[in-house]
Every structure is written in C-alpha cells, then in structure tokens.
Amino acid sequence: MLDVRRMQVLRAVVTSGSVTAAAAHLGYTPSAVSQQVAALEKEAGIELLERVGRGVRPTAAGRLLTEHAALIGRQVAEAETALADLRAGRTGRISVRYFATAGAELVAPALARFRTAHPDVRVDLRLVDQSGTAAAEGDEPDVTLVVRPRNAPSPSGPLRLVHLRDDPYRAVLPKNHPLAVRRTIDLADLADEAWVGSERPGPCLDAVLEACAAAGFTPGYTVECEEYATAQGFVAAGLGISLIPLMGLGSRHPNVVVRTVRAPEPVRTIQAEVRESSLALPAVRTLLTALQEG
C-alpha cells in the first residue's frame, strides 16, 4: 500500500524541481526527503524520479503519483473544512426520534428556534412510541424523546438521559359531572369513578397507576382506547372520566371539562436519550436547549 505522506513528499520534490528545495519547504533535511522518495519507489515497485542536471524530474509513474497526491491533498483539505463546519455546528445532520404528543407541543417550536441558529444542519425526524422503541431495527438516533421517571437509571450503553419537561395529567370529566364545578380535584375523589383508559401499557400508564396507588386506590377501567382524542369522546358520552397529560390536550372536546388534579398530581417526565458522542456536537446541544425551553 502506498504511503500518502510519502506521496506528498514526492509532490513537493516534483513541484520544486529539486530535493534540496523540497526539503527546505517541508522543513526536512535533503537526506530525509531522499529516504522518503526511495521508500515510496520501493512501495510502488518503479522509479519515480530521474536526475536532470542538478535537479530532478518525474518519470511517468512519478507524474501519475504526483497528480494523485494533489487530488488527495485537496480531498484532505475539503475533509478538514467539512469537519471544522461540523464541529462548529454550521453543517451536518442530526437524527431525532419523538413520540406523537411531543410533536406539536414540544418538537415543532424547538425546531423553529433551532433552525434560526443552525440553518444548514439537517434534522431527520421519525416517530416512535413513548418508550422510545424505534420504527426500524438498527436505528441509532442522536436524540430520542422518551417518558422516563426523574430518578430513572442511566440507560445502558453510550447513552445519557437529559431532562426536558414534566407533563402533568389533568382530569377530564363530562360537562355535567358533579366534580366539574371544582377548579381542582383530589385524585382520591376519582377512586369510585368509571375510568376511560387513555394510555397503553408502558411508562405513561405507570405514572398514572403509581399516582393512584399513592392516593390509595386502583382505577377501575371500563373503556380502554389508548388514544387521547378518542378517550375524550368516551368521556363526553358519559362513559367515565379520564386522566390525560396536558400535552395530549391540544384539541379539547367541546363536551368535556379539564381540571387540575392534586394529592398527588400525576406527572409523566419527558427526557431525551442522547448518544454520548453526539453531545460533543454544538448543534445537538443547541437542540437540547431549545427542547428544554419548551
């Protein structure tokens, strides 16, 4: 295999027309330059320079390698420029995975601010569920939005959790419900109600069940739909009450009321799973800040 550094030495000799001049340009001794060229000739298996008077000139093979050395030099310079742009956050690509209810309320406004600061960085967005399960196997995004408790252990592997937002749950009641007259409802007051499930099994449902357990009861689900808009429809029809996170209440059914819950207030915690290597990129850090600012 040809040594690229030696090819650049050959190029300096051919450009200057002499070993001595090339040595002065490179900061080497003439002997060191001659040794590099001799080693390259051994690698190439052919003579690369021939003497002309007090100078040298390239053979056909020498001209060929000199041309490739110039091309490699330009490519290296381009790579260095591209790398500098990437390090500075001027260019590049960030892959982000998000779940549905975080899209409009959290991701969209954050991306609008991010693009002002990094207009030439491309963001690849794909949808996952709240647990962070990727849509495709082998997907290794830079940032994945997930629901994890605040005290959740760090993920295994080269990942780090970054807290983004706490998303409290609200009680969703039919308009004519006796508790609808209250501005705030104790969670225990919902213990004997028929419940409309709005969460599939996973971290979001866990947050609701843990809060209910702390209030001394287990909710009795009569309807399970695993979707916020549909859950509101069942509540509006008088089939029960529901708990829905604030970020899931962007569109509210006209025949329901939404009330704050306390003692305790169920909360799902939205965090970002970030690849450790990606945290070195200014663009990723800017995006995380934008997501935290909400």
Side-chain angles (χ1 to χ4, degrees):
M1 182 179 293
L2 298 177
D3 188 291
V4 173
R5 182 172 57 86
R6 290 169 180 162
M7 289 174 62
Q8 296 299 335
V9 171
L10 172 66
R11 182 188 174 203
V13 173
V14 171
T15 301
S16 60
S18 78
V19 171
T20 302
H25 174 71
L26 296 171
Y28 297 167
T29 64
S31 175
V33 170
S34 296
Q35 290 173 8
Q36 293 293 315
V37 173
L40 184 60
E41 287 181 329
K42 185 176 181 180
E43 291 171 352
I46 191 171
E47 189 177 17
L48 301 175
L49 295 173
E50 59 185 9
R51 289 198 169 277
V52 179
R54 294 185 178 181
V56 294
R57 68 183 179 189
T59 63
R63 286 194 299 272
L64 177 66
L65 287 190
T66 299
E67 291 170 359
H68 281 281
L71 178 61
I72 291 170
R74 288 194 296 271
Q75 290 174 334
V76 169
E78 290 171 359
E80 289 174 343
T81 299
L83 186 59
D85 287 341
L86 181 67
R87 285 197 302 262
R90 291 187 291 269
T91 61
R93 171 184 170 274
I94 300 175
S95 55
V96 178
R97 304 296 174 257
Y98 71 100
F99 55 90
T101 53
E105 295 293 324
L106 185 58
V107 178
L111 278 182
R113 291 191 295 274
F114 172 82
R115 284 178 173 163
T116 300
H118 300 276
D120 294 322
V121 175
R122 185 167 70 89
V123 179
D124 173 28
L125 285 172
R126 293 186 190 177
L127 192 66
V128 296
D129 63 25
Q130 289 97 327
S131 67
T133 302
E137 292 184 5
D139 193 24
E140 295 185 349
D142 297 295
V143 178
T144 302
L145 271 61
V146 295
V147 175
R148 295 284 187 274
R150 266 188 176 269
N151 58 353
S154 298
S156 59
L159 296 173
R160 177 176 160 189
L161 279 177
V162 177
H163 177 264
L164 299 180
R165 177 185 293 188
D166 291 331
D167 189 21
Y169 279 80
R170 296 291 185 253
V172 181
L173 315 171
K175 273 191 170 181
N176 60 355
H177 194 284
L179 294 175
V181 296
R182 300 186 189 177
R183 296 179 64 86
T184 302
I185 299 171
D186 288 343
L187 187 56
D189 291 338
L190 302 176
D192 296 328
E193 297 287 337
W195 281 58
V196 174
S198 64
E199 304 285 12
R200 67 181 64 186
C204 294
L205 179 59
D206 291 344
V208 172
L209 295 179
E210 288 169 7
C212 291
F217 72 97
T218 299
Y221 290 105
T222 58
V223 179
E224 295 183 2
C225 64
E226 301 180 358
E227 201 276 322
Y228 300 140
T230 305
Q232 290 188 63
F234 284 119
V235 171
L239 299 180
I241 62 91
S242 187
L243 288 186
I244 295 178
L246 197 56
M247 285 173 54
L249 288 168
S251 298
R252 300 189 183 186
H253 195 288
N255 293 323
V256 304
V257 295
V258 176
R259 297 292 182 260
T260 302
V261 181
R262 66 184 179 188
E265 179 184 58
V267 175
R268 65 176 187 175
T269 300
I270 300 172
Q271 305 208 55
E273 280 187 352
V274 190
R275 297 185 67 80
E276 289 279 2
S277 58
S278 300
L279 282 170
L281 301 175
V284 170
R285 296 197 299 270
T286 299
L287 178 60
L288 288 174
T289 299
L291 288 167
Q292 289 172 325
E293 289 173 351

